[in-house]
Amino acid sequence: MDFFDRFAVPHPSFLIYASMVAIGLTVIAVLVGITYFKKWDYLWREWLTTVDHKRIGIMYLISALLMLFRGGVDAIMLRAQLAIPDNKLLESQHYNEVFSTHGVVMILFMAMPFIMFFFNFVVPLQIGARDVAFPRLNAISFWLFFMGAMLFNISFVIGGSPDAGWTSYFPLAGNDFSTSVGSNYYMIAIQIAGIGTLMTGINFITTIFKMRAPGMKLMQMPMFTWSALISNLIIVFAFPVLTVLLAMGTMDRLFDTKFFAIGDGGSDMLWANLFWVWGHPEVYILILPAFGLFSEIISTFARRNLYGYKSMVASMVVISAFSFFVWAHHFFTMGQGALANSFFSITTMAIAVPTGVKIFNWLFTLWKGKIEFTTPMLYAMHFLPLFTLGGVTGVMLAMSAADYQYHNTMFLVAHFHNVIIPGVVYAMLGGLTYYWPKMFGFMLNERIGKWTVWLMSIGFVLAFIPMYITGLDGQARRMYTYSEATGFGPLNMVAFIGAGIMAISFALLVYNIYYSVRYSPRNIGNDPWNARTLEWATHTPVPEYNFAVMPQVKSTEAFWDAKKNGHEIFKGKIEKIHMPNSSGLPFIMSCIFFVFGFSMIFSIWPLAIISLLGILGCLVYRSFEKDHGHYIPVEEIEETETKLRGAK
């Protein structure tokens, strides 16, 4: 087949052509802007080659916000299509592509980099470290994720998007039913990004175990650091399953193996089992850091230490263990038998118990607290009832017999979003608002922030509560249209209006950033929230080395104790500090990975072999490279400290 025929989108439409034009104009505008303002050297020196965990975290944040916009546009398109009966806005094929990519983008390319942002920016500061354990590995982790995301996102303008759902079940994802390269994009782009995520898991487990500040025991770590540790442990156990699964799927599509074929010794259920062996722990990779963020926010603005520290840690450990024993509830309806259904029904309901423990711990933290309703706290307050509703409907779905009624309906769609949006998105946006002043030296506007929270919650309720009702009435998910006789029209219109209000709330968040950049005061100090943990004890902006003197920790809230009880956490004198050197190798290697992935997707074998040799060449070069980092002299540190103290 001619390559240009393969590059063409198989089901073009006006919206796809408009997207092509928009992408082209955006790329040209960015390149012209960088050239006009002469920022190529700055971009290479300060960002593309950086190994600073803080800058890498901010790049994760930028990626997550871009993907939030992309996934949000998909969501609006889906709700617009279903707003009225017999709508012709999207054809069936285009609808399949949109909901398939919406799920992948939001879970893997929006939510995952958002939590990676918090891991990178917050964890080293919370544990009193100067960097992560493996700075180069951290850089290649980000760039592999980023190249995987970009590779996936060009699919709908070059070759066609995946159209087999975000779960990409076989045989639907096989060559017989998915004849375009869309499912190739799915297999290879997610593989590249997933390798980066697995590296991140290894890096942060090592960082937390080996680089804590002197005196900080495991049971003295802040709750967010605990959630990061447990989430990364899940990553290390779950993501190798995804890596193998995607490799098998790639071989089925490119080399006609039969791992997931219905005949020839393969099994389509093998994909379903392996996907959810990874997929359900993935949900907890997202939700546990969110729990950690809410714990930090609630204790800060309730002006109380977190209630039940040990039980909070224990509940996260139990949740992480249980997360590997619930995967089959995703296919109760696939005929696996009463015994298997009963086992997974029990484990699914049991996982609600440690989650409930955390809800009560947060409520007891609020009890008799001196609550300050800041924007981050407002996100936490809205999270509690909305997430509890999502948990209750999850228990309904956990009943295998009842699941036959609920499973393939909009009820399941409503439940999933009822957990992920209040549980993850609210935590990400609340945490972003909370840590914004530590990143950039000014606060986001509180009034606009509170309007954002309320609009988001109103929109959320209007968007997803109607789906519970239409789902119970029989509206099937993944259906691109319905007849007027079903009676689903009015509630779907309400859901569309709710989605529109949520879109307005996200636009308000963007406006808040713009407004705050222009008008927010800069003299906010190092600790504008009167917080409790160690990341607020360093300067704003945070210097390259994080802490001039390593902190000495004796409690779970060392900074709070230092402020209220006079504990000294920075003892000793300033000494020279060893830091890693920047390197362009991670970025260059990830670009070669992008070329390798693209050539594999389109079966351009000579280019695939050349790029694979390029990857191996980078690895060989690194193995012989002698780079021992550099030292920051005492004089430079003292000068920086004096300047930062004077800025306050």
Side-chain angles (χ1 to χ4, degrees), residues 485-563:
T486 60
F488 299 146
L491 286 175
N492 275 288
M493 177 57 72
V494 171
F496 172 64
I497 293 170
I501 294 173
M502 291 187 73
I504 293 171
S505 74
F506 287 117
L508 203 56
L509 173 66
V510 174
Y511 174 72
N512 194 357
I513 294 172
Y514 163 78
Y515 180 89
S516 301
V517 167
R518 293 198 64 181
Y519 301 114
S520 286
R522 267 47 178 182
N523 56 338
I524 59 172
N526 299 326
D527 181 27
W529 301 118
N530 191 21
R532 310 175 77 88
T533 44
L534 210 54
E535 67 270 28
W536 300 98
T538 188
H539 298 292
T540 302
V542 184
E544 177 190 359
Y545 48 79
N546 294 349
F547 301 94
V549 177
M550 291 299 290
Q552 306 287 320
V553 177
K554 294 183 179 179
S555 67
T556 57
E557 295 180 327
F559 184 46
W560 184 260
D561 291 339
K563 291 190 292 185

Side-chain angles (χ1 to χ4, degrees), residues 313-560:
V313 173
S315 64
M316 285 195 289
V317 172
V318 172
I319 288 171
S320 67
F322 271 41
S323 70
F324 287 92
F325 294 97
V326 297
W327 80 86
H329 70 225
H330 290 277
F331 38 88
F332 278 152
T333 60
M334 293 188 185
Q336 59 195 341
L339 179 61
N341 279 1
S342 298
F343 173 81
F344 287 102
S345 181
I346 292 168
T347 56
T348 304
M349 286 186 275
I351 206 169
V353 175
T355 307
V357 168
K358 304 180 83 60
I359 297 288
F360 281 105
N361 282 351
W362 291 318
L363 293 174
F364 285 132
T365 303
L366 293 168
W367 180 251
K368 295 185 179 179
K370 297 178 181 178
I371 301 173
E372 184 179 351
F373 286 103
T374 61
T375 299
M377 189 62 159
L378 207 56
Y379 276 111
M381 294 299 93
H382 287 219
F383 150 77
L384 286 168
L386 292 175
F387 181 80
T388 301
L389 174 62
V392 170
T393 56
V395 173
M396 293 172 64
L397 287 159
M399 297 182 287
S400 57
D403 190 66
Y404 275 83
Q405 172 68 26
Y406 307 141
H407 189 79
N408 283 311
T409 69
M410 296 301 287
F411 186 94
L412 179 60
V413 177
H415 155 73
F416 182 75
H417 288 82
N418 202 167
V419 171
I420 293 298
I421 293 178
V424 177
V425 177
Y426 278 35
M428 301 300 106
L429 297 180
L432 175 62
T433 308
Y434 183 62
Y435 284 110
W436 188 274
K438 181 55 65 176
M439 287 189 291
F440 300 113
F442 62 93
M443 300 177 72
L444 294 176
N445 183 273
E446 277 289 285
R447 184 180 180 186
I448 301 174
K450 290 174 181 177
W451 271 103
T452 302
V453 181
W454 280 106
L455 280 176
M456 191 174 298
S457 293
I458 292 168
F460 171 82
V461 170
L462 290 175
F464 293 101
I465 297 302
M467 294 187 200
Y468 283 121
I469 301 170
T470 61
L472 290 175
D473 283 344
Q475 184 181 2
R477 60 182 175 142
R478 299 173 178 166
M479 297 292 288
Y480 86 106
T481 190
Y482 56 90
S483 68
E484 188 173 358
T486 60
F488 299 146
L491 286 175
N492 275 288
M493 177 57 72
V494 171
F496 172 64
I497 293 170
I501 294 173
M502 291 187 73
I504 293 171
S505 74
F506 287 117
L508 203 56
L509 173 66
V510 174
Y511 174 72
N512 194 357
I513 294 172
Y514 163 78
Y515 180 89
S516 301
V517 167
R518 293 198 64 181
Y519 301 114
S520 286
R522 267 47 178 182
N523 56 338
I524 59 172
N526 299 326
D527 181 27
W529 301 118
N530 191 21
R532 310 175 77 88
T533 44
L534 210 54
E535 67 270 28
W536 300 98
T538 188
H539 298 292
T540 302
V542 184
E544 177 190 359
Y545 48 79
N546 294 349
F547 301 94
V549 177
M550 291 299 290
Q552 306 287 320
V553 177
K554 294 183 179 179
S555 67
T556 57
E557 295 180 327
F559 184 46
W560 184 260

